[in-house]
Amino acid sequence: MSTPVLKKHYQEKVVPALTKKLGYKNPHQVPVLEKIVVTTCMGKAPDRKVAVDDAVAEIAKITGQRPSITFSKKAVANFKLRIGEPLGARVSLRGERMWEFLYRFINITSPNIRDFRGIGSKSFDGRGNYAVGFAEQTIFPEIELDQIKRQIGFDIIFVTSAKTDEEGRALLAELGMPFRDLKKDDAAEGAAA
């Protein structure tokens, strides 16, 4: 089995570039992508159980791996939600599937987004992990548009071994993540305030 293209790129180009850029003394200090988590919640859907089944099928098509179903931990009367009811789906991608998914996300999926100018670069959690959300699954080429039963929004979380947001941002940028320019993000935030 051959090494995924992006993993080879990481080993040959990203590790030396980050070692030089961030001043690491050892190549093993360079942060690495540990896993990618794709998750969705169908809490507001009136037919929640059918919606969860649809979400499981869509995420399985997108990732190539069957997701696990998440269940409610609390009962909420306003949402007619009981403890233990199916609520959403999630899948954790590691190894070869993770690298293949990231390659498709960067090179095929991102350019499919309408009016795409890059993804925001501020959604880091303080420990080098990055999360991005999408309102619909139609951006993925694996989804057949005429087979869609409902719009499913989901989050993609990129979990890295980076200690800081700067290290995580540098790692994902070197891998080819299409971030918007930080200066443009700051200007847009200033204009919105």
Side-chain angles (χ1 to χ4, degrees):
M1 188 171 185
S2 64
T3 306
V5 174
L6 209 53
K7 184 176 183 182
K8 192 180 289 186
H9 173 71
Y10 170 78
Q11 293 166 342
E12 295 173 0
K13 302 266 183 354
V14 174
V15 170
L18 288 181
T19 302
K20 185 177 178 184
K21 183 178 179 181
L22 299 175
Y24 295 123
K25 293 180 174 51
N26 186 331
H28 296 292
Q29 290 177 300
V30 175
V32 66
L33 189 63
E34 294 178 339
K35 66 181 175 179
I36 297 174
V37 180
V38 180
T39 180
T40 187
C41 181
M42 305 305 293
K44 293 182 181 175
D47 55 341
R48 197 176 299 117
K49 290 177 184 171
V50 176
V52 168
D53 290 340
D54 292 344
V56 166
E58 298 290 313
I59 291 177
K61 282 182 198 171
I62 292 167
T63 61
Q65 183 173 317
R66 184 162 173 80
S68 60
I69 295 174
T70 57
F71 298 94
S72 63
K73 294 179 180 139
K74 290 183 178 179
V76 181
N78 290 347
F79 297 116
K80 297 182 177 134
L81 182 67
R82 294 187 182 99
I83 294 175
E85 274 192 52
L87 199 57
R90 65 177 295 168
V91 64
S92 296
L93 303 170
R94 291 181 171 87
E96 311 292 320
R97 278 205 178 115
M98 173 190 73
W99 290 108
E100 293 295 333
F101 178 82
L102 182 61
Y103 180 81
R104 287 193 327 268
F105 179 76
I106 291 170
N107 296 303
I108 299 168
T109 304
S110 295
N112 257 352
I113 300 171
R114 186 179 302 153
D115 298 330
F116 184 68
R117 292 183 184 94
I119 56 176
S121 56
K122 292 195 166 200
S123 297
F124 284 87
D125 67 350
R127 294 188 301 271
N129 304 319
Y130 178 72
V132 63
F134 295 100
E136 55 186 35
Q137 73 274 32
T138 58
I139 61 170
F140 287 95
E142 296 89 355
I143 303 298
E144 297 174 29
L145 297 178
D146 57 342
Q147 301 292 322
I148 294 176
K149 296 177 186 169
R150 70 183 75 232
Q151 296 291 51
I152 298 172
F154 53 90
D155 296 318
I156 302 174
I157 301 128
F158 301 92
V159 180
T160 69
S161 63
K163 305 268 189 290
T164 65
D165 288 349
E166 290 74 30
E167 290 176 345
R169 188 177 290 112
L171 168 67
L172 292 174
E174 285 291 330
L175 285 170
M177 188 69 76
F179 288 125
R180 272 194 302 264
D181 190 14
L182 272 176
K183 293 172 190 141
K184 288 180 185 173
D185 273 358
D186 290 339
E189 239 178 52

